[in-house]
mmCIF file of all heavy atoms in Angstrom:
data_model
loop_
_atom_site.group_PDB
_atom_site.id
_atom_site.type_symbol
_atom_site.label_atom_id
_atom_site.label_comp_id
_atom_site.label_asym_id
_atom_site.label_seq_id
_atom_site.Cartn_x
_atom_site.Cartn_y
_atom_site.Cartn_z
ATOM 1 N N MET A 1 8.458 -3.794 -7.490
ATOM 2 C CA MET A 1 7.410 -4.729 -7.873
ATOM 3 C C MET A 1 6.160 -4.437 -7.152
ATOM 4 O O MET A 1 5.046 -4.503 -7.759
ATOM 5 C CB MET A 1 7.919 -6.077 -7.659
ATOM 6 C CG MET A 1 6.897 -7.234 -7.915
ATOM 7 S SD MET A 1 7.509 -8.837 -7.431
ATOM 8 C CE MET A 1 7.594 -8.732 -5.678
ATOM 9 N N CYS A 2 6.230 -4.233 -5.841
ATOM 10 C CA CYS A 2 5.117 -3.958 -5.018
ATOM 11 C C CYS A 2 4.349 -2.617 -5.470
ATOM 12 O O CYS A 2 3.157 -2.510 -5.543
ATOM 13 C CB CYS A 2 5.426 -3.843 -3.520
ATOM 14 S SG CYS A 2 5.889 -5.497 -2.872
ATOM 15 N N LEU A 3 5.127 -1.583 -5.790
ATOM 16 C CA LEU A 3 4.542 -0.336 -6.174
ATOM 17 C C LEU A 3 3.836 -0.562 -7.545
ATOM 18 O O LEU A 3 2.857 0.046 -7.783
ATOM 19 C CB LEU A 3 5.650 0.731 -6.258
ATOM 20 C CG LEU A 3 6.162 1.263 -4.954
ATOM 21 C CD1 LEU A 3 7.382 2.146 -5.223
ATOM 22 C CD2 LEU A 3 5.054 2.066 -4.231
ATOM 23 N N ARG A 4 4.442 -1.315 -8.400
ATOM 24 C CA ARG A 4 3.832 -1.587 -9.723
ATOM 25 C C ARG A 4 2.499 -2.295 -9.528
ATOM 26 O O ARG A 4 1.499 -1.996 -10.132
ATOM 27 C CB ARG A 4 4.781 -2.387 -10.573
ATOM 28 C CG ARG A 4 4.289 -2.566 -12.025
ATOM 29 C CD ARG A 4 5.307 -3.262 -12.933
ATOM 30 N NE ARG A 4 6.574 -2.447 -12.992
ATOM 31 C CZ ARG A 4 7.764 -2.931 -12.529
ATOM 32 N NH1 ARG A 4 7.826 -4.063 -12.006
ATOM 33 N NH2 ARG A 4 8.776 -2.226 -12.686
ATOM 34 N N TRP A 5 2.477 -3.233 -8.574
ATOM 35 C CA TRP A 5 1.248 -4.008 -8.318
ATOM 36 C C TRP A 5 0.158 -3.026 -7.779
ATOM 37 O O TRP A 5 -0.964 -3.048 -8.197
ATOM 38 C CB TRP A 5 1.454 -5.106 -7.342
ATOM 39 C CG TRP A 5 0.256 -6.009 -7.208
ATOM 40 C CD1 TRP A 5 -0.028 -7.114 -7.941
ATOM 41 C CD2 TRP A 5 -0.867 -5.797 -6.350
ATOM 42 N NE1 TRP A 5 -1.292 -7.632 -7.511
ATOM 43 C CE2 TRP A 5 -1.747 -6.771 -6.607
ATOM 44 C CE3 TRP A 5 -1.166 -4.801 -5.400
ATOM 45 C CZ2 TRP A 5 -2.993 -6.893 -5.892
ATOM 46 C CZ3 TRP A 5 -2.379 -4.858 -4.702
ATOM 47 C CH2 TRP A 5 -3.319 -5.938 -4.966
ATOM 48 N N ILE A 6 0.619 -2.228 -6.829
ATOM 49 C CA ILE A 6 -0.372 -1.220 -6.247
ATOM 50 C C ILE A 6 -0.931 -0.294 -7.371
ATOM 51 O O ILE A 6 -2.113 -0.137 -7.312
ATOM 52 C CB ILE A 6 0.393 -0.381 -5.150
ATOM 53 C CG1 ILE A 6 0.634 -1.246 -3.891
ATOM 54 C CG2 ILE A 6 -0.398 0.870 -4.762
ATOM 55 C CD1 ILE A 6 1.581 -0.599 -2.921
ATOM 56 N N ALA A 7 -0.075 0.159 -8.223
ATOM 57 C CA ALA A 7 -0.543 1.128 -9.227
ATOM 58 C C ALA A 7 -1.435 0.471 -10.245
ATOM 59 O O ALA A 7 -2.304 1.152 -10.825
ATOM 60 C CB ALA A 7 0.756 1.691 -9.958
ATOM 61 N N THR A 8 -1.302 -0.863 -10.509
ATOM 62 C CA THR A 8 -2.118 -1.527 -11.523
ATOM 63 C C THR A 8 -3.318 -2.272 -10.933
ATOM 64 O O THR A 8 -4.065 -2.865 -11.678
ATOM 65 C CB THR A 8 -1.255 -2.486 -12.343
ATOM 66 O OG1 THR A 8 -0.664 -3.412 -11.471
ATOM 67 C CG2 THR A 8 -0.185 -1.740 -13.106
ATOM 68 N N HIS A 9 -3.478 -2.273 -9.605
ATOM 69 C CA HIS A 9 -4.658 -2.919 -8.955
ATOM 70 C C HIS A 9 -5.426 -2.027 -8.073
ATOM 71 O O HIS A 9 -5.848 -2.440 -6.986
ATOM 72 C CB HIS A 9 -4.074 -4.151 -8.204
ATOM 73 C CG HIS A 9 -3.593 -5.224 -9.068
ATOM 74 N ND1 HIS A 9 -2.272 -5.204 -9.584
ATOM 75 C CD2 HIS A 9 -4.194 -6.359 -9.486
ATOM 76 C CE1 HIS A 9 -2.131 -6.333 -10.333
ATOM 77 N NE2 HIS A 9 -3.238 -6.992 -10.295
ATOM 78 N N GLU A 10 -5.586 -0.790 -8.491
ATOM 79 C CA GLU A 10 -6.339 0.219 -7.673
ATOM 80 C C GLU A 10 -7.717 -0.282 -7.322
ATOM 81 O O GLU A 10 -8.096 -0.120 -6.195
ATOM 82 C CB GLU A 10 -6.384 1.594 -8.423
ATOM 83 C CG GLU A 10 -6.907 2.632 -7.544
ATOM 84 C CD GLU A 10 -6.651 3.996 -8.133
ATOM 85 O OE1 GLU A 10 -5.692 4.221 -8.863
ATOM 86 O OE2 GLU A 10 -7.507 4.890 -7.814
ATOM 87 N N ALA A 11 -8.402 -0.946 -8.177
ATOM 88 C CA ALA A 11 -9.768 -1.413 -7.896
ATOM 89 C C ALA A 11 -9.707 -2.428 -6.734
ATOM 90 O O ALA A 11 -10.632 -2.475 -5.851
ATOM 91 C CB ALA A 11 -10.430 -2.058 -9.113
ATOM 92 N N ALA A 12 -8.667 -3.245 -6.659
ATOM 93 C CA ALA A 12 -8.542 -4.238 -5.625
ATOM 94 C C ALA A 12 -8.256 -3.581 -4.317
ATOM 95 O O ALA A 12 -8.533 -4.237 -3.242
ATOM 96 C CB ALA A 12 -7.510 -5.218 -6.016
ATOM 97 N N LEU A 13 -7.598 -2.453 -4.294
ATOM 98 C CA LEU A 13 -7.144 -1.749 -3.059
ATOM 99 C C LEU A 13 -8.309 -0.902 -2.526
ATOM 100 O O LEU A 13 -8.274 -0.533 -1.273
ATOM 101 C CB LEU A 13 -5.951 -0.971 -3.294
ATOM 102 C CG LEU A 13 -4.617 -1.623 -3.295
ATOM 103 C CD1 LEU A 13 -3.554 -0.684 -3.730
ATOM 104 C CD2 LEU A 13 -4.341 -2.161 -1.919
ATOM 105 N N ARG A 14 -9.237 -0.439 -3.368
ATOM 106 C CA ARG A 14 -10.147 0.545 -2.936
ATOM 107 C C ARG A 14 -10.929 0.143 -1.638
ATOM 108 O O ARG A 14 -11.626 -0.882 -1.641
ATOM 109 C CB ARG A 14 -11.185 0.790 -4.097
ATOM 110 C CG ARG A 14 -12.015 2.099 -3.889
ATOM 111 C CD ARG A 14 -12.758 2.483 -5.113
ATOM 112 N NE ARG A 14 -11.776 2.858 -6.155
ATOM 113 C CZ ARG A 14 -11.700 2.241 -7.348
ATOM 114 N NH1 ARG A 14 -12.548 1.318 -7.646
ATOM 115 N NH2 ARG A 14 -10.804 2.674 -8.251
ATOM 116 N N GLY A 15 -10.704 0.885 -0.602
ATOM 117 C CA GLY A 15 -11.345 0.689 0.642
ATOM 118 C C GLY A 15 -10.802 -0.462 1.497
ATOM 119 O O GLY A 15 -11.418 -0.782 2.528
ATOM 120 N N VAL A 16 -9.764 -1.068 1.035
ATOM 121 C CA VAL A 16 -9.189 -2.174 1.762
ATOM 122 C C VAL A 16 -8.173 -1.783 2.788
ATOM 123 O O VAL A 16 -7.387 -0.851 2.557
ATOM 124 C CB VAL A 16 -8.554 -3.160 0.789
ATOM 125 C CG1 VAL A 16 -7.772 -4.303 1.510
ATOM 126 C CG2 VAL A 16 -9.622 -3.732 -0.193
ATOM 127 N N ALA A 17 -8.190 -2.386 3.994
ATOM 128 C CA ALA A 17 -7.185 -2.056 4.995
ATOM 129 C C ALA A 17 -5.829 -2.679 4.480
ATOM 130 O O ALA A 17 -5.712 -3.731 3.908
ATOM 131 C CB ALA A 17 -7.517 -2.819 6.296
ATOM 132 N N VAL A 18 -4.711 -1.878 4.717
ATOM 133 C CA VAL A 18 -3.406 -2.174 4.245
ATOM 134 C C VAL A 18 -2.421 -2.214 5.448
ATOM 135 O O VAL A 18 -2.523 -1.326 6.299
ATOM 136 C CB VAL A 18 -2.995 -1.200 3.143
ATOM 137 C CG1 VAL A 18 -1.487 -1.504 2.727
ATOM 138 C CG2 VAL A 18 -3.874 -1.221 1.991
ATOM 139 N N LEU A 19 -1.528 -3.136 5.438
ATOM 140 C CA LEU A 19 -0.497 -3.218 6.491
ATOM 141 C C LEU A 19 0.887 -3.180 5.716
ATOM 142 O O LEU A 19 1.139 -3.981 4.908
ATOM 143 C CB LEU A 19 -0.558 -4.519 7.291
ATOM 144 C CG LEU A 19 0.674 -4.804 8.258
ATOM 145 C CD1 LEU A 19 0.663 -3.761 9.279
ATOM 146 C CD2 LEU A 19 0.469 -6.151 8.830
ATOM 147 N N ASP A 20 1.658 -2.136 6.060
ATOM 148 C CA ASP A 20 3.000 -1.991 5.481
ATOM 149 C C ASP A 20 3.944 -2.396 6.618
ATOM 150 O O ASP A 20 4.284 -1.602 7.538
ATOM 151 C CB ASP A 20 3.261 -0.598 5.047
ATOM 152 C CG ASP A 20 4.675 -0.391 4.387
ATOM 153 O OD1 ASP A 20 5.455 -1.282 4.462
ATOM 154 O OD2 ASP A 20 4.950 0.737 3.917
ATOM 155 N N TYR A 21 4.322 -3.642 6.668
ATOM 156 C CA TYR A 21 5.115 -4.188 7.809
ATOM 157 C C TYR A 21 6.643 -4.114 7.505
ATOM 158 O O TYR A 21 7.095 -4.588 6.465
ATOM 159 C CB TYR A 21 4.710 -5.612 7.978
ATOM 160 C CG TYR A 21 5.265 -6.271 9.282
ATOM 161 C CD1 TYR A 21 4.650 -5.994 10.513
ATOM 162 C CD2 TYR A 21 6.411 -7.064 9.271
ATOM 163 C CE1 TYR A 21 5.161 -6.541 11.697
ATOM 164 C CE2 TYR A 21 6.894 -7.625 10.476
ATOM 165 C CZ TYR A 21 6.256 -7.304 11.647
ATOM 166 O OH TYR A 21 6.769 -7.917 12.725
ATOM 167 N N GLY A 22 7.354 -3.364 8.240
ATOM 168 C CA GLY A 22 8.714 -3.016 7.910
ATOM 169 C C GLY A 22 8.792 -1.844 6.981
ATOM 170 O O GLY A 22 9.243 -1.882 5.904
ATOM 171 N N CYS A 23 8.003 -0.784 7.399
ATOM 172 C CA CYS A 23 7.661 0.299 6.484
ATOM 173 C C CYS A 23 8.772 1.137 5.962
ATOM 174 O O CYS A 23 8.667 1.824 4.903
ATOM 175 C CB CYS A 23 6.612 1.207 7.113
ATOM 176 S SG CYS A 23 7.144 1.969 8.669
ATOM 177 N N GLY A 24 9.950 1.131 6.660
ATOM 178 C CA GLY A 24 11.053 1.961 6.165
ATOM 179 C C GLY A 24 10.646 3.477 6.054
ATOM 180 O O GLY A 24 10.255 4.074 7.065
ATOM 181 N N SER A 25 10.617 3.939 4.824
ATOM 182 C CA SER A 25 10.268 5.340 4.523
ATOM 183 C C SER A 25 8.717 5.507 4.405
ATOM 184 O O SER A 25 8.302 6.640 4.341
ATOM 185 C CB SER A 25 10.946 5.826 3.290
ATOM 186 O OG SER A 25 10.466 5.115 2.207
ATOM 187 N N GLY A 26 8.018 4.393 4.348
ATOM 188 C CA GLY A 26 6.533 4.471 4.190
ATOM 189 C C GLY A 26 6.063 4.495 2.809
ATOM 190 O O GLY A 26 4.896 4.673 2.532
ATOM 191 N N ILE A 27 6.986 4.265 1.834
ATOM 192 C CA ILE A 27 6.655 4.364 0.464
ATOM 193 C C ILE A 27 5.445 3.428 -0.026
ATOM 194 O O ILE A 27 4.638 3.845 -0.782
ATOM 195 C CB ILE A 27 7.880 4.166 -0.488
ATOM 196 C CG1 ILE A 27 7.520 4.594 -1.862
ATOM 197 C CG2 ILE A 27 8.442 2.795 -0.347
ATOM 198 C CD1 ILE A 27 8.694 4.898 -2.863
ATOM 199 N N LEU A 28 5.471 2.219 0.519
ATOM 200 C CA LEU A 28 4.329 1.250 0.097
ATOM 201 C C LEU A 28 3.052 1.718 0.696
ATOM 202 O O LEU A 28 1.978 1.692 0.059
ATOM 203 C CB LEU A 28 4.713 -0.096 0.458
ATOM 204 C CG LEU A 28 5.887 -0.734 -0.357
ATOM 205 C CD1 LEU A 28 6.186 -2.108 0.191
ATOM 206 C CD2 LEU A 28 5.672 -0.684 -1.847
ATOM 207 N N ALA A 29 3.081 2.148 2.007
ATOM 208 C CA ALA A 29 1.877 2.649 2.626
ATOM 209 C C ALA A 29 1.285 3.925 1.881
ATOM 210 O O ALA A 29 0.122 3.967 1.676
ATOM 211 C CB ALA A 29 2.155 2.945 4.094
ATOM 212 N N ILE A 30 2.214 4.780 1.564
ATOM 213 C CA ILE A 30 1.769 5.989 0.828
ATOM 214 C C ILE A 30 1.237 5.635 -0.556
ATOM 215 O O ILE A 30 0.174 6.191 -0.985
ATOM 216 C CB ILE A 30 2.951 6.965 0.726
ATOM 217 C CG1 ILE A 30 3.336 7.494 2.111
ATOM 218 C CG2 ILE A 30 2.624 8.138 -0.250
ATOM 219 C CD1 ILE A 30 4.630 8.230 2.209
ATOM 220 N N GLY A 31 1.925 4.775 -1.247
ATOM 221 C CA GLY A 31 1.439 4.312 -2.583
ATOM 222 C C GLY A 31 0.020 3.671 -2.483
ATOM 223 O O GLY A 31 -0.815 3.967 -3.244
ATOM 224 N N ALA A 32 -0.151 2.818 -1.451
ATOM 225 C CA ALA A 32 -1.427 2.183 -1.239
ATOM 226 C C ALA A 32 -2.542 3.228 -0.965
ATOM 227 O O ALA A 32 -3.644 3.151 -1.418
ATOM 228 C CB ALA A 32 -1.357 1.168 -0.097
ATOM 229 N N ALA A 33 -2.205 4.230 -0.123
ATOM 230 C CA ALA A 33 -3.154 5.330 0.173
ATOM 231 C C ALA A 33 -3.512 6.122 -1.065
ATOM 232 O O ALA A 33 -4.679 6.408 -1.285
ATOM 233 C CB ALA A 33 -2.564 6.195 1.236
ATOM 234 N N LEU A 34 -2.557 6.396 -1.842
ATOM 235 C CA LEU A 34 -2.816 7.121 -3.111
ATOM 236 C C LEU A 34 -3.673 6.379 -4.030
ATOM 237 O O LEU A 34 -4.241 6.925 -5.017
ATOM 238 C CB LEU A 34 -1.498 7.605 -3.828
ATOM 239 C CG LEU A 34 -0.680 8.585 -3.052
ATOM 240 C CD1 LEU A 34 0.682 8.796 -3.660
ATOM 241 C CD2 LEU A 34 -1.430 9.914 -2.959
ATOM 242 N N HIS A 35 -3.711 5.004 -3.974
ATOM 243 C CA HIS A 35 -4.437 4.149 -4.892
ATOM 244 C C HIS A 35 -5.617 3.526 -4.268
ATOM 245 O O HIS A 35 -6.072 2.455 -4.731
ATOM 246 C CB HIS A 35 -3.499 3.132 -5.511
ATOM 247 C CG HIS A 35 -2.544 3.804 -6.513
ATOM 248 N ND1 HIS A 35 -2.878 4.151 -7.782
ATOM 249 C CD2 HIS A 35 -1.235 4.184 -6.338
ATOM 250 C CE1 HIS A 35 -1.863 4.661 -8.353
ATOM 251 N NE2 HIS A 35 -0.816 4.710 -7.546
ATOM 252 N N GLY A 36 -6.232 4.160 -3.194
ATOM 253 C CA GLY A 36 -7.484 3.741 -2.707
ATOM 254 C C GLY A 36 -7.523 2.972 -1.416
ATOM 255 O O GLY A 36 -8.572 2.661 -0.877
ATOM 256 N N GLY A 37 -6.315 2.480 -0.982
ATOM 257 C CA GLY A 37 -6.274 1.775 0.327
ATOM 258 C C GLY A 37 -6.669 2.671 1.549
ATOM 259 O O GLY A 37 -6.484 3.888 1.453
ATOM 260 N N ARG A 38 -7.409 2.101 2.530
ATOM 261 C CA ARG A 38 -7.800 2.833 3.621
ATOM 262 C C ARG A 38 -7.469 2.148 4.955
ATOM 263 O O ARG A 38 -7.230 0.930 4.895
ATOM 264 C CB ARG A 38 -9.276 3.056 3.590
ATOM 265 C CG ARG A 38 -9.770 3.862 2.389
ATOM 266 C CD ARG A 38 -9.323 5.333 2.534
ATOM 267 N NE ARG A 38 -9.605 6.097 1.388
ATOM 268 C CZ ARG A 38 -8.726 6.488 0.416
ATOM 269 N NH1 ARG A 38 -7.444 6.053 0.525
ATOM 270 N NH2 ARG A 38 -9.019 7.170 -0.590
ATOM 271 N N GLY A 39 -7.450 2.855 6.004
ATOM 272 C CA GLY A 39 -7.085 2.216 7.303
ATOM 273 C C GLY A 39 -5.725 1.612 7.267
ATOM 274 O O GLY A 39 -5.473 0.482 7.654
ATOM 275 N N ILE A 40 -4.782 2.409 6.727
ATOM 276 C CA ILE A 40 -3.446 1.900 6.501
ATOM 277 C C ILE A 40 -2.615 1.985 7.761
ATOM 278 O O ILE A 40 -2.534 2.942 8.455
ATOM 279 C CB ILE A 40 -2.760 2.721 5.388
ATOM 280 C CG1 ILE A 40 -3.550 2.451 4.108
ATOM 281 C CG2 ILE A 40 -1.319 2.399 5.218
ATOM 282 C CD1 ILE A 40 -3.097 3.350 2.991
ATOM 283 N N ASP A 41 -2.008 0.854 8.057
ATOM 284 C CA ASP A 41 -1.053 0.760 9.214
ATOM 285 C C ASP A 41 0.348 0.512 8.701
ATOM 286 O O ASP A 41 0.483 -0.297 7.844
ATOM 287 C CB ASP A 41 -1.431 -0.413 10.170
ATOM 288 C CG ASP A 41 -2.701 -0.141 10.971
ATOM 289 O OD1 ASP A 41 -2.790 0.921 11.553
ATOM 290 O OD2 ASP A 41 -3.588 -1.060 10.939
ATOM 291 N N ALA A 42 1.271 1.286 9.187
ATOM 292 C CA ALA A 42 2.697 1.145 8.798
ATOM 293 C C ALA A 42 3.511 1.027 10.053
ATOM 294 O O ALA A 42 3.451 1.855 10.904
ATOM 295 C CB ALA A 42 3.161 2.417 8.023
ATOM 296 N N VAL A 43 4.194 -0.131 10.142
ATOM 297 C CA VAL A 43 4.928 -0.417 11.419
ATOM 298 C C VAL A 43 6.383 -0.786 11.044
ATOM 299 O O VAL A 43 6.689 -1.254 9.926
ATOM 300 C CB VAL A 43 4.273 -1.556 12.149
ATOM 301 C CG1 VAL A 43 2.888 -1.161 12.624
ATOM 302 C CG2 VAL A 43 4.196 -2.851 11.364
ATOM 303 N N ASP A 44 7.291 -0.563 12.025
ATOM 304 C CA ASP A 44 8.686 -0.907 11.847
ATOM 305 C C ASP A 44 9.284 -0.964 13.216
ATOM 306 O O ASP A 44 8.829 -0.261 14.176
ATOM 307 C CB ASP A 44 9.399 0.152 10.981
ATOM 308 C CG ASP A 44 10.637 -0.346 10.364
ATOM 309 O OD1 ASP A 44 11.564 -0.847 11.042
ATOM 310 O OD2 ASP A 44 10.687 -0.445 9.158
ATOM 311 N N ILE A 45 10.365 -1.725 13.380
ATOM 312 C CA ILE A 45 10.998 -1.793 14.701
ATOM 313 C C ILE A 45 12.072 -0.690 14.839
ATOM 314 O O ILE A 45 12.597 -0.443 15.939
ATOM 315 C CB ILE A 45 11.693 -3.137 14.933
ATOM 316 C CG1 ILE A 45 12.700 -3.495 13.885
ATOM 317 C CG2 ILE A 45 10.583 -4.243 15.041
ATOM 318 C CD1 ILE A 45 13.563 -4.688 14.254
#
């Protein structure tokens, strides 16, 4: 669901800082970066 939102809201992500909290494999952070997100932080314990 999050990946679908990222892919369909590229204009909203363009240049926006993104936080992937509980990043796991980093898939959401990577998806956000591919769709215009910048200054991406991915964190996990």
